[in-house]
Amino acid sequence: MDSGIGQFIPLILIFVIFYFFLIRPQQKKVKEHKAMVENLSRGDKVVTSAGIIGTIERIIDNEKVEVQIADNVKVEIIKSTGIQGLLNSPEVKK
């Protein structure tokens, strides 16, 4: 009976390692991104998932924002998938 349980100890340890080094940090990152997206406001400088830097001109609704990427060039972006990061945040390291 003890040898049966002993065989599962390495699998349990592997799962614990995966949880603390892969799953948990990813969940934390997703939670931080969601909070950042919910707190976007007009005038924030953002980076899109395509790497384009722009300024939020207006919040269209809970899902979309209008971002100015050049003079007289504005695009609508879905907040949750299109906005990668906030540039004028004090958390961003330069």
Side-chain angles (χ1 to χ4, degrees), residues 44-62:
D44 285 345
K45 197 166 186 177
V46 295
V47 177
T48 68
S49 57
I52 299 171
I53 297 173
T55 304
I56 295 181
E57 286 296 308
R58 71 182 173 119
I59 308 292
I60 297 172
D61 57 28
N62 286 337

Side-chain angles (χ1 to χ4, degrees), residues 31-47:
K31 189 175 181 181
E32 289 172 353
H33 182 264
K34 184 178 178 184
M36 182 268 302
V37 166
E38 289 174 355
N39 293 321
L40 289 174
S41 61
R42 187 173 191 268
D44 285 345
K45 197 166 186 177
V46 295
V47 177

Side-chain angles (χ1 to χ4, degrees), residues 17-18 22 29 35 39 46 48 56-57 71 74-75 80 88:
I17 290 169
F18 268 97
L22 295 175
K29 191 174 183 179
N39 293 321
V46 295
T48 68
I56 295 181
E57 286 296 308
D71 291 338
K74 297 177 183 175
V75 293
S80 61
N88 57 349

Side-chain angles (χ1 to χ4, degrees), residues 46 54-57 65-69 73-75 77 83:
V46 295
T55 304
I56 295 181
E57 286 296 308
V65 293
E66 185 176 81
V67 177
Q68 180 175 354
I69 57 175
V73 180
K74 297 177 183 175
V75 293
I77 298 177
I83 304 295

Side-chain angles (χ1 to χ4, degrees), residues 5-17:
I5 294 173
Q7 292 176 347
F8 288 107
I9 290 176
L11 289 174
I12 293 169
L13 287 174
I14 289 171
F15 177 76
V16 169
I17 290 169

